[in-house]
Amino acid sequence: MKLDATALGELFEAEGPRLLAFATRRTFDAEWALDVVGEAFAVAFERRGRFRGGSREEAVAWLYAIVRTQLNHQFRRRGAERRALDRLGVDRPTMGEDERRRVEELAGLEELRAVVADELERLAPDQRDAVRLRVVDELDYDEVADALRITQQTARARVSRGLRALSEAVKAMEEVPYAR
């Protein structure tokens, strides 16, 4: 399958909503997810000549891989960017409330939040505390270890086990179709 600009545009039209739902379920933020998917398609456009797959399914898998990579890059940058914008007193442009609701509805975000909250409560207290400190409070592992009075290695293990359990709950939801 040759992935020229026209084919990529058609793939974007067909798969864009599902990719947006995929990203929204991972960020819990419709605007951020929209940025991620937009950046992913820009990367796909730039690299379309390097695509070596032979089928539409392989092209879709390639797009999902690019979105996952963009999510990883954005997660790393997001904290520093948010702190810098706060320091400067700059507000990011936002999407309209109707747009935000539609994307969140498409991704099943309300349902996902409930599943993650339930699963978080099911975690062992030591894992739950470690995950909250690392993910919600955005502490580094040294700070998590200090707060819980454990070693950094133990903090990493608790966060890892907790996130793995949360990930399994999210994966179970992935069986549900995105488009509603």
Side-chain angles (χ1 to χ4, degrees):
M1 168 181 199
K2 183 174 178 219
L3 199 56
D4 59 15
T6 301
L8 187 60
E10 290 169 359
L11 202 54
F12 174 77
E13 288 295 320
E15 297 298 324
R18 281 183 283 281
L19 288 165
L20 183 57
F22 175 83
T24 303
R25 284 180 173 217
R26 279 146 184 83
T27 61
F28 286 88
D29 184 318
E31 286 184 55
W32 186 7
L34 191 60
D35 289 345
V36 166
V37 172
E39 186 64 29
F41 270 96
V43 169
F45 185 80
E46 290 172 352
R47 297 180 183 168
R48 69 190 182 279
R50 297 184 210 163
F51 175 69
R52 299 291 175 238
S55 69
R56 183 180 191 287
E57 291 77 21
E58 289 173 317
V60 170
W62 181 68
L63 289 175
Y64 273 92
I66 294 172
V67 169
R68 279 191 299 275
T69 300
Q70 290 305 311
L71 281 165
N72 288 336
H73 292 306
Q74 293 261 347
F75 280 129
R76 285 187 205 109
R77 288 190 300 240
R78 188 75 172 190
E81 179 183 301
R82 188 176 52 240
R83 287 187 296 274
L85 289 173
D86 288 346
R87 260 195 326 270
L88 296 171
V90 176
D91 293 326
R92 290 179 45 124
T94 58
M95 66 172 52
E97 193 56 37
D98 290 342
E99 293 168 310
R100 178 188 307 277
R101 268 193 295 263
R102 176 64 185 130
V103 171
E104 289 178 358
E105 179 185 307
L106 176 70
L109 205 53
E110 186 174 317
E111 181 184 357
L112 180 63
R113 283 185 177 120
V115 167
V116 170
D118 288 346
E119 194 63 33
L120 189 59
E121 289 306 312
R122 287 188 185 117
L123 291 178
D126 60 341
Q127 289 177 9
R128 183 175 47 245
D129 293 342
V131 168
R132 282 190 174 139
L133 289 169
R134 178 71 178 129
V135 177
V136 177
D137 295 342
E138 298 180 348
L139 300 181
D140 64 33
Y141 284 106
D142 285 333
E143 294 170 315
V144 172
D146 288 345
L148 297 176
R149 298 175 188 206
I150 57 177
T151 67
Q152 185 186 52
Q153 183 177 0
T154 302
R156 286 180 182 276
R158 288 180 184 178
V159 170
S160 177
R161 283 191 294 263
L163 290 176
R164 193 173 314 119
L166 293 174
S167 175
E168 291 302 317
V170 170
K171 284 179 187 176
M173 284 192 69
E174 300 270 312
E175 304 295 320
V176 178
Y178 291 111
R180 292 167 190 240

